[in-house]
Amino acid sequence: RVVKVSKFLYKKRPRIVAMLSIGEPKETIEKINRCLSQGAEGFCLLYQSCPLEFKTKDNLKKIMDVARKKPVYFANYIRGNSQPELSDDVLAQQLLEAIDMGAQLIDVRTDMFCRSVDEVTRDSSAVEQQKSLISEIHNRGAEVIMSTHIFEYRSPQNVLEIAKLQQERGVDIAKVVTTVDSKKELDDAFKTLFLLKENLNIPFLFLTNGSFHRYHRIV
């Protein structure tokens, strides 16, 4: 079994990435520079947190020009909590614009173009739209991490099923986030890591939230 290596990642180990919410440009740039001085090897910029008054292409470019001294992972999850609510077509366009500004890894939700409570769609039309977006991201020279955020426990087999769906859609990195609220669920989270390692042909990011999540995230 040959595992594809993402360009965003180092071959020997994961890249140390600073995750930052984008806000007022000057303040955000100061945070980026502090992270650089402390050894950050990349940045994950969360655009959904940016207040509307600062959410302009000019402001984003100022931030990206500083952040892209290192590889940039760009995410924009915002949906119904935006004013006005943005369609997934608009969000897709913003993701593509981020590539033009220097982003190298783009986060695409697994339910993009057909919203689902558990952030996984199996709608054939939406899946084809996702594949088209993934292809365009690749054509522009960036990579794709496909993400699913589930605010409840999921079994190792269920997480593997989701990650395989992501892999089948042509992404470079699979990402699943679940919840662990007991020792049994924590044990299953560690089992999930081994299951993903044994069965996926792409790198993956498996994270947990919940009352026992700290043990898992540290490891």
Side-chain angles (χ1 to χ4, degrees), residues 15-206:
R15 190 180 295 275
I16 299 173
V17 177
M19 181 174 284
L20 298 175
S21 297
I22 295 178
E24 188 276 324
K26 182 179 178 181
E27 180 183 358
T28 304
I29 289 170
E30 288 175 353
K31 289 180 180 178
I32 290 170
N33 284 325
R34 287 203 299 273
C35 291
L36 286 169
S37 69
Q38 294 175 31
E41 299 170 342
F43 291 96
C44 174
L45 299 182
L46 305 175
Y47 197 45
Q48 68 269 14
S49 62
C50 185
L52 284 176
E53 62 266 31
F54 302 127
K55 192 171 279 189
T56 67
K57 289 183 182 180
D58 286 343
N59 283 338
L60 180 57
K61 187 174 187 308
K62 290 176 185 176
I63 292 167
M64 290 289 293
D65 284 347
V66 180
R68 66 179 182 171
K69 293 175 183 176
K70 300 290 183 179
V72 173
Y73 162 11
F74 186 85
N76 188 10
Y77 298 134
I78 199 165
R79 284 178 160 180
N81 56 337
S82 61
Q83 297 295 327
E85 182 173 348
L86 300 178
S87 71
D88 282 358
D89 289 324
V90 173
L91 292 176
Q93 187 58 41
Q94 291 181 351
L95 294 177
L96 294 175
E97 289 169 356
I99 299 172
D100 296 337
M101 296 181 190
Q104 293 178 262
L105 182 65
I106 302 297
D107 198 315
V108 175
R109 290 183 318 277
T110 318
D111 69 339
M112 199 160 187
F113 304 117
C114 184
R115 304 181 185 190
S116 170
V117 174
D118 61 358
E119 280 197 18
V120 179
T121 184
R122 294 171 176 79
D123 178 83
S124 58
S125 176
V127 170
E128 288 306 310
Q129 285 181 278
Q130 289 179 3
K131 289 181 178 180
S132 177
L133 175 60
I134 291 164
S135 178
E136 180 59 25
I137 291 171
H138 286 156
N139 287 339
R140 296 194 185 201
E143 294 184 300
V144 179
I145 180 168
M146 180 165 268
S147 62
T148 293
H149 303 81
I150 306 170
F151 300 100
E152 61 184 30
Y153 164 79
R154 290 299 176 91
S155 70
Q157 285 294 342
N158 187 217
V159 174
L160 176 61
E161 177 196 0
I162 294 169
K164 280 192 170 183
L165 286 177
Q166 296 170 337
Q167 177 177 273
E168 289 167 5
R169 293 174 194 181
V171 303
D172 304 281
I173 302 173
K175 177 183 176 183
V176 182
V177 185
T178 62
T179 298
V180 291
D181 282 320
S182 70
K183 290 184 178 180
K184 169 61 170 63
E185 292 178 359
L186 178 63
D187 286 344
D188 279 355
F190 288 119
K191 291 176 183 176
T192 300
L193 290 173
F194 288 106
L195 197 64
L196 294 171
K197 180 71 173 176
E198 292 169 358
N199 291 279
L200 286 184
N201 295 323
I202 58 175
F204 65 87
L205 179 60
F206 173 58

